[in-house]
Amino acid sequence: MAFKNINIRQIVGAALSNDAIIVDVRKSERFRQGHIPMAVNVPIERIEKGQITLPGSRILIVYCDTGGTSMQAAYLLSEMGYHVINCVGGLKNYNGSLAR
């Protein structure tokens, strides 16, 4: 299954226009230090083990710090049947404010 890539700076707009769920795939500690508003934390380790309970009817927009882990998560989630958008560039290229 395939997934789409977007620039991290488009994440909030894409989430709102697609009624999507923003998924931060970083470790929980990193998530607590600051994350994109509206994001839920599902660390890549949980995705790899299939320990996820996200609604299959919603688009998932995934991101991480630099883009590599989110690419892996996007692939895994799409293989599980989810509709996925991956954010290229990661949080280091995000220019919005972060929630804590």
Side-chain angles (χ1 to χ4, degrees), residues 2 4 6 10 14 16 18 20 25 27-29 39 43 46 53 68 70 73 81 83-84 96-99:
K4 178 181 175 182
I6 62 169
Q10 300 170 319
L16 293 172
N18 290 294
V25 299
K27 294 187 181 296
S28 298
E29 303 82 44
R46 286 185 41 209
T53 56
S70 67
H83 298 284
V84 184
S97 60
L98 298 177

Side-chain angles (χ1 to χ4, degrees), residues 9-95:
R9 293 180 179 137
Q10 300 170 319
I11 191 169
V12 174
L16 293 172
S17 66
N18 290 294
D19 189 32
I21 300 171
I22 299 174
V23 182
D24 184 321
V25 299
R26 301 174 302 151
K27 294 187 181 296
S28 298
E29 303 82 44
R30 297 283 295 137
F31 179 80
R32 286 191 297 272
Q33 291 173 359
H35 56 272
I36 293 175
M38 303 183 299
V40 297
N41 184 220
V42 182
I44 185 73
E45 295 82 9
R46 286 185 41 209
I47 295 169
E48 291 170 334
K49 294 176 184 176
Q51 300 173 337
I52 53 174
T53 56
L54 298 168
S57 60
R58 305 266 304 274
I59 294 172
L60 306 179
I61 303 178
V62 296
Y63 77 92
C64 64
D65 280 324
T66 60
T69 303
S70 67
M71 180 74 74
Q72 179 184 0
Y75 174 78
L76 293 170
L77 289 166
S78 67
E79 288 293 308
M80 293 176 191
Y82 287 95
H83 298 284
V84 184
I85 298 173
N86 176 56
C87 289
V88 176
L91 196 57
K92 70 176 184 144
N93 291 308
Y94 179 70
N95 59 0

